[in-house]
Amino acid sequence: AGMDNTDLAVLCALILAVAAYMKKDIIKELLFSNDDAITADDSGSRDILQVMKDNNKNYLVLYASQTGTAEDYAKKYSKELAAKFSLNVMCADVENYDFESLKELPSNVVVSIFVATYGEGEFPDGAVQFEDFLNELSEGALTNVRYTLFGLGNSTYEFYNGASKKILQHMEKAEATLIGEHGLGDDGAGTTDEDYLSWKENTFEILKDQLNLSEHEQKFEPSFQLEKLETIDEKVSLGEPSLHYLPANKLSFNSENVQVGPFDINQPYLAPIIKTHELMKSKDRSCVHSEFDVSGSNIKYTTGDHLGIWPSNADEKIEKFLYAFNLNPDTIFDLKPLDSTIETPFPTPTTIGAAVRHYLEITGPISRQSFGSLVQFAPSAKIKEKLQNLAADKDQFHIEITSRYFDLADAVLHLSGGAKWETVPWEFLIESIAHLQPRYYSISSSSLSEKQTIHTTAMVESAPNPAGGPNVVGVATNLLKNIEAEINGKSTDSLDVHFDLRGPRALFSGYKLPVHVRRSAFKLPSNPQTPLIMIGPGTGVAPFRGFIRERVKYVETTENAKLGKHLLFYGSRNLDDFLYREEWPVYAKKLGNAFEMVVAHSRLEKQKKVYVQDKLTEREKDVLALLNEGAFLYVCGDAKGMAQGVHLALVEILANGKSISKEDATEMVKMLKTTGRYQEDVW
Ligand code: FAD
């Protein structure tokens, strides 16, 4: 049949329309559809407003995260906003964008900022440029901006929530309008989750009012399109720490099969543990010394840095999780972000089994908020009601879930009486469960004496559950314990949990773990004659072992070496958990009078409990004298009890010794901190 003129006209119009449409959406889709991780960089623009416009976003959530917690809250908040109010939310890491265009942000778009505080009131590492932008804001530069602010911090630190307070100041100067209250999450009090929940409820009420939002029942809107694949090929990740490690990419090995760097948080190095041993003398607790070989990797560290260790989950936990949500570990899937502002959370395509083992934080305490978001998938009306009640009742949630140390799988199985929750979509689990984060350890070797190996000292997290059942365990430390047992030919039968030590495609065999070095500000003074006061009970002694080994090496290799006094306060329960007990006398011999170790024991039989801060007070004259000589003071270990106790003891010592008021002494300690003469490495 021939085509008449009318048909041709219609066809022409159609082609034109399609071309116009293609220009906008289809072209974008075609461009992006094969990308694994679509980030701001991929779309070519770092201009925040441009990217929002390109993706039709009408709400902006920004986060600056150090360990992933702020990111986690920002994502939860974004998801809930989208699910309840049908907003088109863009959730972005401040690291990936430029913010000049915020000055032109339409005033009906609200910005919600989530920020963690790191070190002495500082911004997270990735927020350097964002901080510069804020610093340079002139008065009245952001009158168009309405924002909310939630900071994550720890009130046991001197500069509590410092980063979010700085943001508040800058935004006030720029005359942006704060919606609701400045939210403060306090990890020190262990209330971050509840702080967030009450802040969020209040903020949502105000937002509803100000943005005229209508609320509907929460409905999960996936950010990704999930595609199932049939076969595992070289592109499918089986839990590799980054896409570089996939056989298809071969970016991380050279022709001699040696890993090529540079290695950092985005590209960890697979370092073999070449030596490891148990440091505890009695069986009831465990602390593992591990030595990672980084020779040939070009990884450099300096004494006092941290090592990030990338763990994977334990077999027992994986099995329970897969059971609870009726998941098939062999399912192969890919994730396609639905717009270009969304990043794939981990290397894909991958398998459910690999994601659960290597990428998702399936254990650990659960928040009332994320638990509540499961309501929409409850397997029965009865369970739904139970869950709704629990999610709404802080106290009952504590009694029934938190105080029993339930993780997600425990909690859902508890609610359903052991029946599977097959109704929860896998996409939802991926998007609502935090991603497995590296754990940090204060390096306990010295870069002067051990250039090619990095030592860590890790307390194995395992405690009886007062509510009964198996011990409550930590991920990374039990993995290190398993490796310790395997390397030393011990039986692993009695260990709490077990791991696949071979890793994806046997990449970890030879007891390798993915690691990266994180620079820290916890550093020795450059002049070895500067006296040091070091306070590090328990594993807090880790960096001081590094400090002392550094001084030993210095003395061994320097003629007429002169050292200032190195006074180390150490604390343990008794002699069984006295870490590196046989090493200290060796160091003392090498360093002579320059090194002195003062030990406090808190659980020696028939003796009074003594803590490091008591010893500090006992030695107040020496402490004062050393401080007068310009000593540097270092505190490492438990942020909650110990670091605060030491801080208070020091204020006392200065007040008494210098006959000044406690207020003045407090000011003085603060001065020591701001000038870097009082450094903390606490967690
Ligand atoms: P995680 O899996 O992270 O668990 C954390 C805690 O939660 C554990 O106590 C675990 O038992 C508990 N838990 C598990 N499940 C639940 C549940 N359902 N409900 C409630 N609680 C639960 N540690 C050291 O030992 N040595 C160091 O030198 C050291 N240096 C550090 C330096 C820095 C800068 C930082 C930030 C931390 C440091 N840490 C150090 C702590 C370390 O990073 C880890 O946090 C710690 O080892 C626990 O890791 P994990 O993976 O074993 O436990």
Side-chain angles (χ1 to χ4, degrees):
M3 194 187 273
D4 70 24
N5 284 344
T6 335
D7 282 333
L8 199 67
V10 170
L11 200 66
C12 278
L14 211 66
I15 288 173
L16 283 176
V18 168
Y21 182 63
M22 285 269 288
K23 243 196 193 143
K24 276 197 208 138
D25 293 307
I26 296 196
I27 292 182
K28 208 157 57 192
E29 211 166 278
L30 287 176
L31 276 175
F32 288 134
S33 61
N34 283 326
D35 264 333
D36 284 305
I38 293 169
T39 62
D41 299 339
D42 294 329
S43 75
S45 180
R46 285 184 54 92
D47 178 340
I48 192 80
L49 192 54
Q50 193 57 47
V51 177
M52 285 190 77
K53 279 187 184 156
D54 289 348
N55 292 281
N56 295 321
K57 300 291 182 182
N58 56 13
Y59 196 105
L60 179 60
V61 175
L62 295 175
Y63 62 85
S65 198
Q66 186 68 35
T67 58
T69 314
E71 173 178 355
D72 197 32
Y73 279 102
K75 287 187 169 161
K76 273 188 213 158
Y77 180 87
S78 306
K79 277 267 142 205
E80 196 175 342
L81 269 183
K84 276 196 174 140
F85 306 114
S86 306
L87 284 163
N88 203 356
V89 185
M90 169 159 169
C91 180
D93 185 341
V94 294
E95 188 169 13
N96 295 333
Y97 294 92
D98 297 331
F99 294 95
E100 271 311 305
S101 59
L102 274 190
K103 293 170 185 165
E104 281 116 51
L105 188 78
S107 58
N108 60 347
V109 176
V110 171
V111 187
S112 289
I113 306 171
F114 290 82
V115 63
T117 292
Y118 181 53
E120 308 289 307
E122 286 135 40
F123 278 75
D125 294 337
V128 180
Q129 278 176 312
F130 182 60
E131 192 181 3
D132 287 346
F133 163 75
L134 292 169
N135 282 333
E136 282 157 22
L137 281 176
S138 54
E139 270 171 44
L142 296 180
T143 45
N144 57 320
V145 169
R146 287 190 290 168
Y147 73 105
T148 75
L149 180 60
F150 189 81
L152 294 106
N154 185 318
S155 61
T156 59
Y157 284 70
E158 177 89 40
F159 302 97
Y160 173 49
N161 248 306
S164 77
K165 287 176 186 167
K166 281 184 196 161
I167 292 183
L168 189 70
Q169 277 173 4
H170 289 303
M171 295 300 256
E172 269 171 9
K173 183 178 163 206
E175 292 171 30
T177 310
L178 178 68
I179 295 182
E181 281 170 10
H182 173 199
L184 297 172
D186 185 5
D187 194 33
T191 54
T192 306
D193 211 52
E194 292 301 337
D195 297 334
Y196 166 73
L197 279 182
S198 57
W199 170 83
K200 184 209 68 187
E201 270 153 33
N202 179 33
T203 305
F204 273 15
E205 282 309 311
I206 304 174
L207 283 176
K208 267 198 289 195
D209 192 42
Q210 295 205 0
L211 297 180
N212 244 333
L213 302 171
S214 56
E215 185 172 349
H216 44 78
E217 193 164 326
Q218 199 156 303
K219 192 172 154 286
F220 170 61
E221 302 279 355
S223 309
F224 304 94
Q225 193 186 327
L226 189 96
E227 279 171 20
K228 297 254 166 85
L229 307 180
E230 289 305 316
T231 44
I232 291 185
D233 61 20
E234 297 198 325
K235 282 196 185 127
V236 174
S237 161
L238 296 182
E240 281 82 354
S242 82
L243 288 172
H244 284 209
Y245 284 108
L246 291 185
N249 297 337
K250 291 205 178 70
L251 288 173
S252 41
F253 295 97
N254 67 14
S255 51
E256 271 107 57
N257 215 22
V258 173
Q259 298 173 69
V260 283
F263 300 102
D264 55 27
I265 186 158
N266 300 310
Q267 175 62 7
Y269 178 66
L270 307 179
I273 293 179
I274 45 169
K275 257 192 192 165
T276 167
H277 64 271
E278 174 59 57
L279 292 165
M280 296 282 184
K281 299 282 183 284
S282 79
K283 289 241 175 315
D284 53 336
R285 289 202 304 158
S286 171
C287 184
V288 175
H289 172 86
S290 311
E291 302 188 3
F292 294 84
D293 181 4
V294 294
S295 55
S297 69
N298 231 343
I299 289 184
K300 298 210 168 42
Y301 75 101
T302 43
T303 312
D305 282 341
H306 301 137
L307 188 71
I309 299 181
W310 298 42
S312 51
N313 287 308
D315 299 337
E316 291 85 346
K317 303 288 180 186
I318 294 166
E319 202 178 309
K320 186 160 31 147
F321 185 87
L322 293 172
Y323 174 85
F325 296 106
N326 195 35
L327 296 164
N328 175 1
D330 300 326
T331 305
I332 313 161
F333 67 95
D334 201 1
L335 294 176
K336 304 286 185 205
L338 290 177
D339 72 54
S340 71
T341 67
I342 300 164
E343 284 179 58
T344 39
F346 42 71
T348 50
T350 186
T351 65
I352 289 185
V356 172
R357 185 177 291 279
H358 294 281
Y359 302 134
L360 297 182
E361 194 87 56
I362 58 169
T363 61
I366 46 174
S367 75
R368 194 155 61 87
Q369 144 104 356
S370 24
F371 199 50
S373 64
L374 278 169
V375 160
Q376 49 191 318
F377 308 115
S380 75
K382 214 171 124 203
I383 298 173
K384 181 172 178 171
E385 195 191 329
K386 251 183 157 168
L387 180 52
Q388 259 162 342
N389 292 340
L390 263 188
D393 186 340
K394 184 170 147 185
D395 298 329
Q396 194 54 29
F397 183 78
H398 180 80
I399 295 169
E400 217 167 303
I401 307 291
T402 316
S403 74
R404 289 171 164 167
Y405 295 87
F406 280 162
D407 57 31
L408 183 59
D410 294 325
V412 296
L413 291 174
H414 163 73
L415 274 196
S416 64
K420 296 181 178 196
W421 286 51
E422 27 201 14
T423 36
V424 185
W426 172 235
E427 292 96 311
F428 175 82
L429 293 172
I430 296 174
E431 290 196 46
S432 57
I433 296 176
H435 304 129
L436 204 49
Q437 295 288 329
R439 270 56 170 176
Y440 288 97
Y441 295 88
S442 302
I443 293 176
S444 56
S445 50
S446 147
S447 53
L448 196 63
S449 59
E450 291 85 24
K451 283 195 177 55
Q452 310 290 349
T453 52
I454 295 180
H455 300 184
T456 56
T457 311
M459 189 72 192
V460 178
E461 296 291 326
S462 166
N465 187 339
N471 281 355
V472 185
V473 294
V475 182
T477 52
N478 283 281
L479 172 60
L480 290 170
K481 180 63 198 170
N482 266 260
I483 293 178
E484 188 275 327
E486 290 273 351
I487 286 186
N488 296 319
K490 304 178 188 169
S491 160
T492 57
D493 293 350
S494 63
L495 298 181
D496 290 313
V497 282
H498 301 83
F499 297 83
D500 168 22
L501 300 184
R502 280 165 43 84
R505 297 183 168 96
L507 206 56
F508 302 170
S509 59
Y511 306 109
K512 292 195 191 91
L513 286 180
V515 300
H516 73 276
V517 167
R518 187 170 79 184
R519 307 268 161 249
S520 97
F522 199 73
K523 286 283 147 2
L524 278 165
S526 50
N527 183 354
Q529 294 191 45
T530 307
L532 308 189
I533 303 167
M534 296 163 280
I535 302 148
T539 44
V541 82
F544 303 133
R545 177 178 181 270
F547 281 15
I548 294 299
R549 287 173 80 85
E550 175 124 347
R551 292 312 192 215
V552 167
K553 183 74 179 177
Y554 169 74
V555 167
E556 281 173 352
T557 54
T558 315
E559 246 178 85
N560 296 323
K562 285 209 182 79
L563 280 186
K565 177 90 178 178
H566 285 54
L567 185 56
L568 171 60
F569 290 89
Y570 174 68
S572 67
R573 292 183 182 174
N574 49 42
L575 295 179
D576 287 342
D577 63 348
F578 193 147
L579 301 180
Y580 302 109
R581 191 172 163 208
E582 53 300 315
E583 290 187 13
W584 303 110
V586 182
Y587 304 144
K589 217 173 201 166
K590 301 257 185 194
L591 299 180
N593 287 340
F595 176 51
E596 187 187 348
M597 191 163 180
V598 180
V599 181
H601 291 302
S602 60
R603 294 201 197 165
L604 271 191
E605 247 178 86
K606 296 200 185 109
Q607 289 194 24
K608 208 176 123 229
K609 291 185 175 191
V610 185
Y611 296 101
V612 277
Q613 49 271 44
D614 303 324
K615 286 285 175 189
L616 201 65
T617 309
E618 217 175 280
R619 297 291 295 265
E620 75 186 305
K621 280 211 177 71
D622 298 316
V623 170
L624 258 172
L626 290 174
L627 284 175
N628 283 337
E629 280 171 41
F632 276 46
L633 198 140
Y634 299 86
V635 184
C636 179
D638 169 36
K640 286 182 188 126
M642 186 275 297
Q644 254 187 333
V646 166
H647 184 273
L648 292 177
L650 205 68
V651 168
E652 287 281 341
I653 291 174
L654 284 171
N656 290 343
K658 296 199 177 282
S659 305
I660 51 175
S661 69
K662 276 207 182 147
E663 288 72 42
D664 288 346
T666 308
E667 258 327 288
M668 218 162 165
V669 170
K670 206 169 177 177
M671 278 290 287
L672 286 174
K673 280 191 179 173
T674 35
T675 53
R677 274 185 55 199
Y678 182 157
Q679 301 183 21
E680 288 183 311
D681 183 24
V682 293
W683 60 83

